[in-house]
Amino acid sequence: MSYARVKPHRLERAASASLRHTRRYTGRPPADGTAAEAPRADLMTDVTVDCGWGRLIFAHTFDDLDRMIETLRQEAPGTRDIVFYLQDPHVALARAPQELFLDPSHTFRLWLSDYRPSRLRPKGYSVRRLRTREDAEGVQRIYARRRMVPVSASFLVASRNSRVLTHFVACDDATGEVIGSVTAVDHAHAFGDPENGSSLWCLAVDPQASFPGIGETLVRTVAEHVQARGRAFLDLSVLHDNETAIALYEKLDFRRIPAFALKTRNPINERLFTGPQPGERLNPYATIIVNEARRRGIGVDVLDAEGGYFCLTWGGRSVVCRESLSELTSAVAMSRCDDKAVTRRVLERAGLKVPAQAVARDAEENAAFLETHGRIVVKPARGEQGRGITVDVRDAETMESAIAAARQHCDLVLLEQFCEGQDLRIIVIDKKVVAAAVRRPAEVTGDGTHSVRELIEAQSRRRAAATGGESHIPMDAETERCLAAAGRTLDDVLPAGEVLPVRKTANLHTGGTIHDVTDSLHPELVEVSTVAARALDIPVVGFDLLVEAPDRPGYVFIEANERPGLANHEPQPTAERFVDLLFPQTRGVL
């Protein structure tokens, strides 16, 4: 069938999305003569561009619809191909309705003749082209944290001098760590585009980066890069419900255009073509498990979305779960973890190292415990997500206030010896260590312009967006206490580049960040974690330890969580190992 060269009806021609007719869609006309500035080359046909995560298939370069569909059918395993600029999506879908689906994304365009660079420069970080394998590995880490389709480091390095693809990275000036990335595709070099266009793909910012404006800087860098090449416009595709990204693009004067994208049905795209299940609004910790179960063909029945309860069924076997807590965890094991005092006694009897601990009683006994240890932690005996915990208490007045705050969560309050060290979370499933991550307290980085309050608000928005609303920094008495200890208030303006911790605890729910260290975990820490899981007789558990470093011996157990969050441990296969535990017969299902 002839596709692109079929003469369209005059009404269709009048409404088509082209440079000539773009004013009606975007309010931005093309610059005079821009199309003539494209490289002088014949228009190529049947064009695909390998981007590492999959291929961009430029639909308007195909003159045969069947050949374009066959090209999409050749998608490699583990990748996601995208047909872009599709003219007749309804016809393509009718040709292969069981294989293809229309991507639920909007296409936005920035007319570069109207674009003006910002006068503000990034502070604390810089953006440059990807250069080294270390840069590429940094991009891989961010892709994993954002649950994006992975790209091999070898591909990124091999394509760093490409004229078609340009990879940019944002790097922390102090550490050199990659904290953001984006890729530009030059259509003129890809296929001699007569409309002289370009596009932007895979904008990704580390959800744990503390600098404001990284995403905007990366988008502007791409815009200025292709503008310098003389391109007419910059296009991008964004999911229709990604409100944060859409707000950024509209702020930069991108406008929607009527261009469509087509994808093939595969496990990577499953959520897009199946759509949300009726009535489901599961949190990220339940969602990661449910998605893995569905990928294996396991039946899912959501029992209480708000509480995170669901039932998995396969082969006549059903297991009810609340996130990572399942019917396989006994009530006795759960009660041992639920009461922090009991947890400590069980682990101590197993020969494991635990901090000194006492029950908060009268002021005199409490003061004696504080005097003995100098610095203590006050926490409710029961609770989760860091609620009611006050860390590094050094005086009696603060201690009594902390005890009163903890009693709002549990009548029984514990005083615990404060131990120095990095906060390490280890996930153990079926008596095997699956993931380990250093958890760091929330912090903000000054830019010389915004107050601490504004920096915290911006950081909270980024953390919430990256974690499905699970992580944010409370602006409460504990935050004010941490700031006061550093000689700061919420209204202070930090100098550019100054890093300020704003919480003492590293819990994800209070804005803490998670950094994977599984591959470098010291053997002693692996061993004591499996011993602790056996002592508690629990199939799934998250241990909190304080360590000198994750790759060195030495530790102290702080507590055990019978319902650890399995999300945010990318790239470790936490959900996969959990479903393996419940349904071992489904191991290896694609």
Side-chain angles (χ1 to χ4, degrees), residues 35-360:
E37 295 170 10
R40 300 182 64 84
D42 293 334
L43 175 66
M44 298 171 63
T45 59
D46 298 359
V47 175
T48 67
V49 173
D50 186 1
C51 296
W53 41 262
R55 297 171 301 166
L56 278 178
I57 301 172
F58 290 94
H60 55 326
T61 67
F62 285 77
D63 61 4
D64 187 277
L65 179 61
D66 292 328
R67 192 163 63 247
M68 185 200 73
I69 293 174
E70 186 58 35
T71 299
L72 183 56
R73 286 187 174 125
Q74 296 166 8
E75 179 182 71
T79 64
R80 172 191 282 165
D81 289 351
I82 301 175
V83 173
F84 203 42
Y85 300 122
L86 185 62
Q87 180 179 350
D88 297 318
H90 54 296
V91 178
L93 291 173
R95 290 300 182 88
Q98 303 303 317
E99 300 176 62
L100 310 178
F101 71 99
L102 196 61
D103 184 34
S105 295
H106 297 316
T107 302
F108 280 80
R109 174 168 292 180
L110 174 67
W111 286 106
L112 296 171
S113 58
D114 294 341
Y115 173 77
R116 297 294 179 267
S118 171
R119 295 181 180 179
L120 299 177
R121 298 290 92 187
K123 297 179 180 178
Y125 68 95
S126 53
V127 175
R128 56 172 174 77
R129 292 183 70 156
L130 182 145
R131 300 171 185 160
T132 66
R133 188 171 188 85
E134 289 72 25
D135 290 344
E137 290 170 350
V139 173
Q140 282 184 310
R141 286 192 294 272
I142 294 174
Y143 280 15
R145 289 171 183 170
R146 302 312 299 246
R147 302 188 183 95
M148 296 166 64
V149 180
V151 177
S152 74
S154 297
F155 176 88
L156 292 170
V157 172
S159 60
R160 67 186 185 275
N161 295 319
S162 167
R163 294 291 287 169
V164 175
L165 301 177
T166 308
H167 309 294
F168 293 97
V169 292
C171 299
D172 187 316
D173 290 340
T175 66
E177 181 181 8
V178 174
I179 55 176
S181 69
V182 70
T183 296
V185 178
D186 190 319
H187 299 179
H189 284 290
F191 57 90
D193 183 10
E195 293 190 333
N196 198 21
S198 62
S199 55
L200 176 153
W201 299 90
C202 291
L203 175 65
V205 176
D206 189 334
Q208 301 179 157
S210 59
F211 301 103
I214 300 171
E216 179 176 342
T217 302
L218 286 166
V219 174
R220 286 186 177 277
T221 298
V222 169
E224 290 159 27
H225 168 73
V226 295
Q227 186 184 50
R229 285 188 172 185
R231 300 298 163 256
F233 57 83
L234 176 66
D235 287 352
L236 57 85
S237 180
V238 57
L239 279 174
H240 70 96
D241 57 357
N242 190 345
E243 297 177 359
T244 302
I246 290 173
L248 168 62
Y249 300 138
E250 290 179 339
K251 170 187 173 183
L252 296 178
D253 212 22
F254 281 81
R255 294 291 181 266
R256 276 186 59 187
I257 62 170
F260 302 98
L262 193 71
K263 293 178 180 176
T264 186
R265 297 186 176 189
N266 61 28
I268 295 174
N269 292 326
E270 183 176 11
R271 181 179 64 87
L272 299 178
F273 68 79
T274 61
Q277 297 298 311
E280 286 188 20
R281 292 189 63 85
L282 293 167
N283 65 36
Y285 308 110
T287 297
I288 190 174
I289 297 169
V290 165
N291 287 346
E292 174 61 18
R294 285 189 173 131
R295 188 183 70 82
R296 300 188 190 195
I298 296 171
V300 177
D301 183 16
V302 177
L303 307 176
D304 182 349
E306 186 175 354
Y309 289 91
F310 53 89
C311 180
L312 304 181
T313 303
W314 190 86
R317 169 183 170 83
S318 295
V319 181
V320 174
C321 306
R322 185 187 182 195
E323 300 166 7
S324 65
L325 178 65
S326 76
E327 293 175 319
L328 276 64
T329 297
S330 70
V332 171
M334 180 176 172
S335 66
R336 286 174 180 150
C337 293
D338 181 55
D339 190 320
K340 296 176 175 62
V342 174
T343 303
R344 179 189 175 279
R345 292 197 296 270
V346 171
L347 298 184
E348 186 176 34
R349 284 196 294 267
L352 302 172
K353 299 173 186 176
V354 293
Q357 193 180 86
V359 175

Side-chain angles (χ1 to χ4, degrees), residues 340-342 344-345 355-359 369 373 379 414-417 558:
K340 296 176 175 62
V342 174
R344 179 189 175 279
R345 292 197 296 270
Q357 193 180 86
V359 175
F369 186 86
H373 298 287
K379 59 186 181 182
L414 303 176
L415 308 181
E416 190 172 86
Q417 174 190 3
I558 301 302

Side-chain angles (χ1 to χ4, degrees), residues 335-583:
S335 66
R336 286 174 180 150
C337 293
D338 181 55
D339 190 320
K340 296 176 175 62
V342 174
T343 303
R344 179 189 175 279
R345 292 197 296 270
V346 171
L347 298 184
E348 186 176 34
R349 284 196 294 267
L352 302 172
K353 299 173 186 176
V354 293
Q357 193 180 86
V359 175
R361 301 189 188 280
D362 59 58
E364 185 176 339
E365 290 183 71
N366 298 343
F369 186 86
L370 176 60
E371 184 177 357
T372 299
H373 298 287
R375 301 164 68 186
I376 67 171
V377 177
V378 178
K379 59 186 181 182
R382 289 184 171 86
E384 57 185 6
Q385 301 178 354
R387 297 189 184 101
I389 297 178
T390 305
V391 177
D392 197 9
V393 175
R394 307 188 187 197
D395 62 86
E397 182 179 354
T398 302
M399 176 181 63
E400 292 302 325
S401 296
I403 291 172
R407 284 209 170 104
Q408 295 179 14
H409 300 274
C410 179
D411 290 338
L412 185 65
V413 175
L414 303 176
L415 308 181
E416 190 172 86
Q417 174 190 3
F418 175 80
C419 300
E420 293 279 6
Q422 297 185 44
D423 188 326
L424 179 67
R425 164 60 67 92
I426 297 180
I427 302 293
V428 181
I429 299 177
D430 198 17
K431 310 303 188 292
K432 299 180 184 68
V433 170
V434 173
V438 169
R439 305 191 303 173
R440 295 174 184 157
E443 59 184 27
V444 295
T445 302
D447 60 3
T449 303
H450 297 91
S451 68
V452 172
R453 185 190 308 276
E454 292 169 328
L455 293 173
I456 290 176
E457 289 172 346
Q459 178 75 339
S460 280
R461 286 194 295 271
R462 285 194 297 274
R463 297 294 296 132
T467 61
E470 293 296 312
S471 182
H472 71 283
I473 306 171
M475 280 194 278
D476 56 13
E478 177 63 11
T479 297
E480 292 178 353
R481 185 179 75 87
C482 293
L483 296 178
R488 295 289 186 181
T489 70
L490 288 169
D491 296 321
D492 288 348
V493 175
L494 298 181
E498 181 178 324
V499 178
L500 176 67
V502 296
R503 301 287 291 191
K504 290 286 188 180
T505 57
N507 297 78
L508 177 74
H509 292 83
T510 55
T513 56
I514 297 179
H515 308 265
D516 181 67
V517 295
T518 308
D519 294 339
S520 60
L521 197 62
H522 192 275
E524 180 186 66
L525 302 179
V526 174
E527 175 63 21
V528 298
S529 297
T530 56
V531 168
R534 290 190 180 96
L536 293 166
D537 193 21
I538 189 167
V540 180
V541 63
F543 290 115
D544 294 338
L545 301 86
L546 288 174
V547 300
E548 180 183 351
D551 58 353
R552 298 179 188 176
Y555 68 91
V556 58
F557 274 91
I558 301 302
E559 60 184 61
N561 189 330
E562 75 280 0
R563 184 166 53 99
L566 302 185
N568 307 305
H569 281 280
E570 293 82 2
Q572 304 309 324
T574 51
E576 289 91 327
R577 297 295 82 83
F578 179 74
V579 178
D580 286 348
L581 172 70
L582 303 187
F583 301 96

